[in-house]
Amino acid sequence: MASDRETLLSMGFDPARVDWALRATNGRGLQPAMDHLLAHEGEAVPASGGGSTAGASTTGVDEDEEADVAELGINAGGAEAKSIKCSICDKTFRNTALANFHAEKSGHDQFEESTDEIKPLTEDEKREKLAELREKMAAKRALKTEQDIQEAKEKEKIRRKQGNDMNKIKEELKAKEIIKEAQQRRQDKIDDAKARAAIRTQIEADKKARAEKAAREKALREGRPIVDALPAASSTAPPATPAASSSGAVSGKDFKDTRLQIRLASGGTPYVTTLPSDSTLHDVAEYVAAQTLSVSVDTVSFAQHFPRKTFTRAEFGKTLKELGLTPSAVGRTCVVSFYR
């Protein structure tokens, strides 16, 4: 017949914990030892010398005190007290340690001595108890495993949601950055065009001033009178007719902005925008690419419906004014189609 220690070891308990349980229960049997192992599962195993002390403090009674209790039971009731009974649930316990454990678990606080003797477990009862204990441990492990799996799933959901949110934020930032860069390039080109125009104007003014100065110096050297070029030119010019003046005013008017209506070849709502007349057709392509976010500037081509015309890649460097897209009257709309 296997001893209680061998039985507990075969159940998979640690030898040190088995020895502790047997010492703490004073070798009262398999059931008290198993109850002690379950009750102190997460606690550290005390030293060998402190095991008996812990057992004594847990039970709250040593062998001499048990003898005194037994003697008191005999003297009081005329019969020997062989167990402790819970007055609330009528469960009987072999010793005070098991009764204290029951009180901690159930909250019951009314106990009395009993003459009922708790017989030791038979081999069949030990096997049944062992099987029951193994089922409880297996159920506990399965529950812990299920909880771990569920917790891992929740963490994975949170991680995926955070990843999707981060990707969405990155895409939005990238789209805004593309639009911002396109607008900055367009503004830089406009500023460069304005700067070049100002330089050309200054160069022409300097050339004219030098020419006038040279003419004055030559006239002084030759002893001829100095004649102002502008009054002479204006005096010799024929008077302009009203029709010619009106036509010249319209054709020579400088429109600073051009209003464009850009329609995609694939359909959909057209884009309407206003760009400076000094902007190039390449600037318009960058605007379209920034709005659609699905094409490159190199894949954009334009065609004008009326008068019908298809613009070549060589014309992408020309301004809207040079291409004749600048309106000749306020409110004129230039319709431009987009092809991928």
Side-chain angles (χ1 to χ4, degrees):
M1 180 184 301
S3 63
D4 293 340
R5 187 177 189 278
E6 293 175 349
T7 302
L8 293 173
L9 290 176
S10 65
M11 294 168 63
F13 289 107
D14 185 69
R17 290 190 173 275
V18 171
D19 295 337
W20 178 28
L22 293 175
R23 289 196 308 271
T25 57
N26 293 325
R28 294 189 181 91
L30 180 63
Q31 181 62 38
M34 285 193 296
D35 292 338
H36 183 277
L37 287 170
L38 294 177
H40 302 278
E41 181 179 0
E43 299 180 11
V45 179
S48 177
S52 59
T53 303
S57 63
T58 303
T59 60
V61 60
D62 56 14
E63 294 179 357
D64 295 336
E65 290 175 345
E66 286 181 347
D68 295 338
V69 171
E71 184 178 355
L72 289 174
I74 294 173
N75 295 334
E80 181 181 0
K82 296 182 179 179
S83 60
I84 299 176
K85 182 178 180 181
C86 178
S87 302
I88 297 177
C89 62
D90 293 334
K91 289 185 178 182
T92 56
F93 304 94
R94 190 185 305 274
N95 52 46
T96 55
L98 298 178
N100 290 335
F101 179 72
H102 173 71
E104 293 175 1
K105 294 295 183 181
S106 63
H108 297 170
D109 57 356
Q110 299 180 17
F111 295 88
E112 60 183 7
E113 294 179 346
S114 173
T115 58
D116 296 337
E117 182 180 2
I118 300 176
K119 297 180 181 181
L121 297 176
T122 63
E123 291 298 323
D124 292 338
E125 290 174 341
K126 287 182 179 180
R127 284 194 292 270
E128 291 178 0
K129 198 69 176 178
L130 177 61
E132 181 182 355
L133 182 59
R134 285 177 175 172
E135 289 178 0
K136 289 182 179 180
M137 295 178 64
K140 187 176 180 180
R141 293 193 188 100
L143 178 61
K144 184 66 169 59
T145 302
E146 182 65 23
Q147 291 176 348
D148 292 342
I149 294 174
Q150 193 66 25
E151 183 178 356
K153 289 181 179 179
E154 293 297 330
K155 289 182 179 179
E156 181 64 17
K157 287 181 181 179
I158 295 174
R159 188 191 64 80
R160 289 183 179 181
K161 185 178 183 303
Q162 291 176 347
N164 293 334
D165 293 343
M166 185 59 66
N167 291 335
K168 184 177 179 181
I169 292 174
K170 288 181 178 179
E171 290 177 358
E172 292 177 354
L173 291 176
K174 184 178 180 181
K176 291 180 180 180
E177 189 66 24
I178 291 174
I179 295 175
K180 184 178 179 181
E181 290 178 356
Q183 293 175 347
Q184 185 62 41
R185 287 195 300 269
R186 184 167 60 251
Q187 187 62 39
D188 292 343
K189 290 184 177 180
I190 294 173
D191 295 341
D192 292 342
K194 290 180 178 180
R196 288 194 298 270
I199 293 173
R200 286 196 298 268
T201 302
Q202 185 64 37
I203 292 174
E204 292 296 330
D206 293 342
K207 288 172 63 177
K208 184 176 180 181
R210 288 195 299 270
E212 292 177 354
K213 182 179 179 181
R216 290 191 184 94
E217 292 177 352
K218 184 177 179 181
L220 289 174
R221 288 194 302 269
E222 295 177 354
R224 292 184 290 103
I226 300 175
V227 180
D228 193 356
L230 281 176
S234 59
S235 61
T236 57
T241 62
S245 300
S246 175
S247 175
V250 174
S251 61
K253 187 175 181 180
D254 184 14
F255 292 94
K256 296 182 178 180
D257 297 324
T258 300
R259 188 166 182 263
L260 296 176
Q261 179 179 344
I262 304 173
R263 184 183 302 115
L264 305 183
S266 58
T269 304
Y271 298 100
V272 178
T273 185
T274 300
L275 297 177
S277 299
D278 292 336
S279 301
T280 63
L281 198 59
H282 189 274
D283 296 334
V284 181
E286 289 184 346
Y287 168 79
V288 174
Q291 296 299 319
T292 59
L293 299 178
S294 60
V295 296
S296 173
V297 177
D298 298 333
T299 62
V300 178
S301 60
F302 296 96
Q304 182 177 270
H305 286 184
F306 182 80
R308 185 172 298 277
K309 177 183 178 181
T310 299
F311 296 96
T312 64
R313 300 299 299 184
E315 293 175 310
F316 271 47
K318 295 183 178 181
T319 64
L320 300 179
K321 185 186 302 183
E322 293 173 346
L323 294 173
L325 295 177
T326 301
S328 60
V330 177
R332 176 185 171 186
T333 302
C334 299
V335 181
V336 180
S337 297
F338 159 73
Y339 298 91
R340 294 183 61 183

